[in-house]
Amino acid sequence: MIRLDHVHVRHRARSGGVFRRDSVHALTDTSLEVRKGEIVGLVGESGCGKSTLARVLTGLQKPTEGEVLFRGEDLWRMPAARRRSEFGSSVGVVFQDPSTALNPRLTVRQILRDPLDVHRRGDEGQRERRVEELLDLVGLPGHTLAALPGRLSGGQRQRVAIARALALEPELIVADEPTSALDVSVRAQVLNLLVDLRARLGLGMVLISHDIQTVRYLADRLAVLYLGRIVEEGRAADIAAAPAHPYTEALFSATPSLLEHTERIVLTGPVPSATNPPPGCPFSTRCWRADADCATAFPAPSYGEGEHRWHCVHPQIPAHPARSTS
């Protein structure tokens, strides 16, 4: 449905002097495919580029370089009216913090009506019926329609945000850390709701999180980001069973599972600057396997079984000999 081809996103930084500003490399040479009906998990530490990638996927951020293809057509070469009507109605967004994502002055009814009014979906009666359907979809009682967001709990607000994202019957939902602002007790409820909606509506979903252990159970495929680069990608089950990149290993060890014993990996060494990223593997400054080869150039992709690929000179598992490009 959506494909990113060699996407770069660079922002102007405040550092660098009066006449020359530094560039923040938010995404570097990122390629990713999102297919209909699947859940893709994007995982990594804070500041690795997950939210920037979400903004690119949802059309809120135009890449500095590279292409965003929507059903095979370059999104940013489409006329603005088509981009709003076709792409805008096909992709819904659930933001990180529901307390800031919802207008505090509007009732839940007005919040859910807004996308229907903007895109002129149906007549007055059809829009009202759709609002009631949306509330039922996310498991909220009818009296919630008259409430302001401030009168709702965090979990209820996030359900309203999910309902708003579903208003135009999108094919894809991009959820950026949808549970990070919620209490632990309601996180599972919201995640279960998203998975249930995916099954009932046939939705595709991009689920962004720093918690790789949670995402591995929900996602069909995982993409691991570090300093704006995808360093490992593949089926979630394959990566969980045998992570190839040391950074993926470290992420799994940082959020241990109750079902598996993992030894904690403590990372040492400096975190590279996003304004002056190293020429080689960006993880080499913190990696316990790194050597001189790692600092020379960013590793070419190597491939394992199925769709599993990674960028690492010294992976945990060997590459498939027929497909290795390193």
Side-chain angles (χ1 to χ4, degrees):
M1 183 181 173
I2 298 178
R3 189 170 80 242
L4 274 56
D5 278 344
H6 304 289
V7 163
H8 297 252
V9 174
R10 292 185 290 272
H11 302 297
R12 298 291 296 275
R14 294 183 179 180
S15 59
V18 177
F19 299 105
R20 182 182 175 277
R21 290 285 181 90
D22 291 332
S23 292
V24 176
H25 297 258
L27 287 178
T28 302
D29 198 22
T30 298
S31 296
L32 182 70
E33 201 173 76
V34 181
R35 303 161 194 157
K36 282 189 175 184
E38 72 170 350
I39 297 181
V40 177
L42 299 178
V43 294
E45 295 171 293
S46 297
C48 71
K50 301 189 302 295
S51 293
T52 300
L53 185 49
R55 290 176 63 83
V56 172
L57 285 169
T58 54
L60 297 174
Q61 172 76 58
K62 184 178 180 179
T64 309
E65 295 177 38
E67 290 184 323
V68 180
L69 301 175
F70 173 59
R71 296 174 181 153
E73 186 176 356
D74 191 326
L75 179 66
W76 292 100
R77 291 183 180 177
M78 293 172 63
R82 275 190 62 210
R83 189 164 64 242
R84 283 195 300 270
S85 62
E86 295 180 23
F87 181 80
S89 62
S90 297
V91 180
V93 190
V94 179
F95 295 101
Q96 182 171 350
D97 188 353
S99 64
T100 58
L102 304 177
N103 190 328
R105 295 182 178 86
L106 299 183
T107 64
V108 170
R109 172 178 274 106
Q110 292 170 308
I111 289 169
L112 299 184
R113 272 286 301 263
D114 189 49
L116 300 170
D117 293 338
V118 169
H119 286 264
R120 300 175 183 175
R121 291 291 181 91
D123 57 28
E124 188 75 16
Q126 289 171 326
R127 293 176 193 178
E128 279 300 310
R129 285 193 293 274
R130 179 60 178 162
V131 165
E132 292 171 3
E133 289 174 6
L134 290 169
L135 208 68
D136 186 58
L137 266 177
V138 298
L140 288 174
H143 63 78
T144 310
L145 288 174
L148 293 170
R151 309 290 287 181
L152 304 176
S153 68
Q156 289 174 321
R157 284 195 294 264
Q158 195 61 294
R159 286 173 184 263
V160 172
I162 292 169
R164 180 180 61 182
L166 295 171
L168 300 175
E169 300 178 272
E171 297 175 58
L172 177 71
I173 292 290
V174 178
D176 186 5
E177 299 271 12
T179 62
S180 64
L182 304 178
D183 293 338
V184 174
S185 58
V186 297
R187 288 181 185 177
Q189 297 174 24
V190 172
L191 290 172
N192 287 335
L193 171 64
L194 289 171
V195 174
D196 179 55
L197 290 170
R198 181 258 188 126
R200 291 163 63 186
L201 305 176
L203 285 169
M205 198 173 297
V206 176
L207 184 59
I208 298 168
S209 178
H210 61 275
D211 185 353
I212 194 170
Q213 289 285 12
T214 298
V215 173
R216 65 176 279 199
Y217 291 111
L218 304 178
D220 302 304
R221 287 191 296 124
L222 287 178
V224 181
L225 279 83
Y226 186 80
L227 202 70
R229 288 186 180 271
I230 294 179
V231 296
E232 186 165 4
E233 183 187 354
R235 291 193 297 254
D238 293 342
I239 292 179
H245 199 281
Y247 179 59
T248 310
E249 285 185 75
L251 286 179
F252 274 116
S253 79
T255 52
S257 168
L258 294 175
L259 303 177
E260 302 168 1
H261 174 72
T262 54
E263 185 176 346
R264 180 67 185 270
I265 297 173
V266 179
L267 298 179
T268 58
V271 179
S273 168
T275 60
N276 187 27
C281 174
F283 190 60
S284 62
T285 59
R286 306 168 75 191
C287 181
W288 59 97
R289 297 188 204 142
D291 58 19
D293 292 337
C294 302
T296 305
F298 185 69
S302 296
Y303 298 88
E305 296 295 332
E307 301 178 327
H308 195 177
R309 68 178 176 93
W310 57 86
H311 297 264
C312 184
V313 177
H314 305 292
Q316 176 74 11
I317 58 177
H320 195 287
R323 298 188 63 194
S324 175
T325 60
S326 58

